Amino acid sequence: MGINSKCENVYLIDFGLSKYYLNKKTRQHIEYNDKKRFLGTIRYASLRTHAGIEQSRRDDLESFACTLIYLARSDKCLPWQGVKCKTKKEKQEKVYEIKLHTHIEILCLNLPKEFQEILLYTRQLGFAEEPNYYYLFSLIKQIYQTMNIKKDFIYDWIVQKPR
């Protein structure tokens, strides 16, 4: 978390599963591969990650979209949470099935339409396609307006002194 004059900044960096999406020497996008084992957090993983497809920027953005939806939902719960299975593999497969068959409209019920647009956009991106970050940022700004979120830099973690 940022502090003092940077208290409004949230720094999210987790390089635990990171890898280059461009070859360092050729600067070409990594190769498509559809024989990957599951890697990541089941709750937020993209559909393609569940399907064994090499992750790229689109998958990071789909995971980000799922995280935003989770945080914005009043029940703080996604339809695939709490699935009980005997093995991790069974759970991963069951969660994938639920994600695959959960309509985006239901997932984003009572949320601004921009949540749906973000998720739809990330799911339609091609493997090596460069995302339009300006478009995504504009959708997030619209969510702020629709949900009447003020950029007042007062957050849950900032202790307010009584006046």
Side-chain angles (χ1 to χ4, degrees), residues 41-52:
T41 303
I42 291 175
R43 183 185 295 177
Y44 305 111
S46 71
L47 289 174
R48 289 183 181 96
T49 299
H50 280 280

Side-chain angles (χ1 to χ4, degrees), residues 4-163:
N4 299 328
S5 66
K6 299 287 187 185
C7 70
E8 73 275 8
N9 294 346
V10 177
Y11 300 94
L12 296 173
I13 302 173
D14 180 356
F15 293 116
L17 302 177
S18 67
K19 63 188 261 184
Y20 290 100
Y21 68 90
L22 295 178
N23 181 299
K24 288 190 233 179
K25 292 180 183 172
T26 66
R27 305 296 294 163
Q28 297 297 310
H29 200 281
I30 57 174
E31 295 291 320
Y32 179 89
N33 180 351
D34 60 4
K35 304 216 182 326
K36 302 291 282 186
R37 66 178 181 82
F38 184 88
L39 188 63
T41 303
I42 291 175
R43 183 185 295 177
Y44 305 111
S46 71
L47 289 174
R48 289 183 181 96
T49 299
H50 280 280
I53 298 172
E54 178 81 57
Q55 294 181 41
S56 67
R57 292 172 286 186
R58 66 183 180 186
D59 301 284
D60 292 337
L61 290 170
E62 185 176 335
S63 293
F64 175 66
C66 286
T67 303
L68 288 180
I69 292 165
Y70 167 79
L71 291 170
R73 285 176 59 115
S74 60
D75 61 359
K76 297 293 183 269
C77 186
L78 297 169
W80 46 86
Q81 275 182 250
V83 170
K84 302 288 186 229
C85 295
K86 291 180 181 175
T87 67
K88 265 185 154 177
K89 178 122 178 86
E90 284 178 18
K91 182 174 183 174
Q92 186 255 316
E93 289 170 358
K94 181 67 175 168
V95 168
Y96 175 49
E97 284 301 313
I98 296 169
K99 283 183 185 183
L100 202 55
H101 295 102
T102 299
H103 293 280
I104 292 176
E105 298 81 17
I106 300 300
L107 180 63
C108 299
L109 192 65
N110 299 322
L111 296 178
K113 67 181 174 25
E114 289 80 12
F115 284 98
Q116 291 180 48
E117 291 175 34
I118 292 170
L119 190 54
L120 285 169
Y121 175 77
T122 61
R123 287 186 176 172
Q124 63 82 34
L125 284 168
F127 175 69
E129 186 175 352
E130 182 175 355
N132 183 340
Y133 295 108
Y134 292 107
Y135 171 66
L136 291 167
F137 187 67
S138 73
L139 292 174
I140 292 169
K141 283 173 61 176
Q142 185 58 47
I143 288 169
Y144 264 69
Q145 291 177 336
T146 304
M147 294 181 79
N148 199 25
I149 297 170
K150 302 288 183 231
K151 196 173 179 182
D152 59 9
F153 307 115
I154 299 172
Y155 303 102
D156 293 347
W157 58 86
I158 298 175
V159 178
Q160 297 295 310
K161 295 180 181 162
R163 293 177 188 227

